[in-house]
Amino acid sequence: MEGFFAALVVSFGVIFVAELGDKSQLMALTFATRFKPIPVLIGITIATAVVHLASVAIGVGLGAVLPTEWISLVAGVAFLGFGAWTLRGDKLTEDEKRKAEKTNKTALVAVSVAFFLAELGDKTMLATITLATKYGWFGTWLGSTLGMVAADALAILVGRMLGRRLPEKAIKYGAAILFAISGLWLILEAVNELT
């Protein structure tokens, strides 16, 4: 149970941080201005659960064929890359925003499809793959899914309370620093295992 709990907590934390300031949060906020928050969160949960299930399958497959110390090294470098990606930032294009605001489909279908497509190849998907190479699949899947839903729920709540104004710079820099610390930690762990 210790492995499951570690996977759950680590993946929740990493994905929660990765999602801060991500375009998915902006999409969640945009959908919540058009639809009620609960169907939006259910749609986010469905899409995230499916994408992250595929992510952990890929990660577990990679973890089975690669040595642990090399996985840690690659994961550390990947996390440094995620930190840089976070600093670069994500923005909703006008087209994406228009589609989110003007959809005529039901909230659940619209949100599920939009989030599924937005998350393919996104940093949260790649981070989930990276985490799954090191931790068990179920804890990683559950933690990453809950982390993303929690971050998007926070965006909806804070956005509604603050009138859509989030402290974007502070969130972006904080998330980038946490990714860099995690990346350096994994690299040091890998170097210790290799020597």
Side-chain angles (χ1 to χ4, degrees):
M1 195 59 156
E2 186 177 301
F4 167 79
F5 186 70
L8 179 73
V9 170
V10 169
S11 59
F12 178 91
V14 167
I15 299 304
F16 183 85
V17 168
E19 188 65 9
L20 296 176
D22 192 67
K23 74 175 179 180
S24 301
Q25 273 194 320
L26 300 173
M27 284 177 57
L29 185 58
T30 302
F31 274 120
T33 63
R34 175 148 169 81
F35 302 114
K36 292 181 181 181
I38 298 300
V40 172
L41 284 174
I42 292 170
I44 291 168
T45 303
I46 291 168
T48 302
V50 171
V51 170
H52 289 198
L53 187 60
S55 301
V56 296
I58 293 167
V60 168
L62 289 174
V65 297
L66 297 174
T68 313
E69 54 275 357
W70 288 104
I71 288 173
S72 291
L73 186 61
V74 169
V77 171
F79 274 51
L80 291 176
F82 297 149
W85 189 343
T86 300
L87 284 176
R88 184 198 71 172
D90 272 339
K91 299 278 186 221
L92 277 181
T93 65
E94 284 303 314
D95 188 45
E96 289 170 326
K97 189 173 182 179
R98 204 170 25 259
K99 283 180 185 174
E101 290 172 343
K102 296 193 183 234
T103 183
N104 291 327
K105 298 176 184 174
T106 65
L108 192 61
V109 173
V111 173
S112 295
V113 170
F115 269 81
F116 178 81
L117 295 174
E119 287 306 306
L120 292 176
D122 192 51
K123 69 183 170 202
T124 52
M125 180 182 182
L126 300 174
T128 302
I129 291 170
T130 304
L131 289 166
T133 62
K134 193 155 178 66
Y135 298 98
W137 77 270
F138 186 67
T140 300
W141 172 70
L142 187 59
S144 65
T145 301
L146 292 174
M148 186 160 162
V149 171
D152 289 337
L154 179 66
I156 292 168
L157 179 66
V158 172
R160 283 179 166 245
M161 289 172 57
L162 297 178
R164 302 172 113 200
R165 297 189 49 80
L166 300 172
E168 225 175 290
K169 263 190 175 176
I171 290 170
K172 180 170 43 171
Y173 289 122
I177 289 167
L178 288 173
F179 266 122
I181 290 169
S182 298
L184 292 172
W185 181 286
L186 286 168
I187 290 169
L188 288 174
E189 186 179 274
V191 168
N192 284 337
E193 288 178 13
L194 288 168
T195 56

